[in-house]
Amino acid sequence: MPKLENPVLMATIGGAQGLRGEVRAKAYTADPTALGDYGNLHSLDGRTFEIHDIREMKNVVVVRFRGINDRNAAEALNGLELYIERDNLPDEE
């Protein structure tokens, strides 16, 4: 993916959750489980993340990304901020 022109921070990844590659994430959306509704998420280093599954847990969401299949891969994402392009936000009514 080319560099984001006008990025909007959508989530920050916390620690790994379980053994199957899930991570806890702080979502900055009104409905935390709607994080996947904005399409793929991007890190500023150019990586793209597709949400495979998402569920709410206390004050965070637990996310499983496509291609992140074990705890070691999930732990490597700790602290990563995820963005979308501002143009992908819905129009305000």
Side-chain angles (χ1 to χ4, degrees):
M1 161 130 203
K3 184 178 186 304
L4 294 172
E5 295 296 321
N6 201 354
V8 175
L9 179 62
M10 299 299 286
T12 302
I13 297 177
Q17 174 73 26
L19 302 174
R20 299 180 317 154
E22 294 178 315
V23 294
R24 292 183 303 274
K26 172 68 176 161
Y28 304 114
T29 54
D31 173 7
T33 59
L35 188 60
D37 296 348
Y38 297 93
N40 291 339
L41 301 169
H42 307 279
S43 61
L44 292 180
D45 63 8
R47 292 181 285 171
T48 299
F49 296 88
E50 180 184 348
I51 293 179
H52 178 65
D53 190 41
I54 188 168
R55 69 181 192 276
E56 206 163 1
M57 186 181 90
K58 297 184 184 176
N59 58 349
V60 296
V61 288
V62 176
V63 181
R64 185 158 185 207
F65 294 108
R66 194 165 306 283
I68 306 296
N69 299 315
D70 61 45
R71 186 171 181 91
N72 289 338
E75 286 175 346
L77 301 177
N78 190 359
L80 189 68
E81 294 181 328
L82 298 176
Y83 298 83
I84 63 168
E85 190 65 61
R86 185 170 298 277
D87 292 345
N88 292 352
L89 290 173
D91 293 330
E92 293 184 30
E93 295 182 19

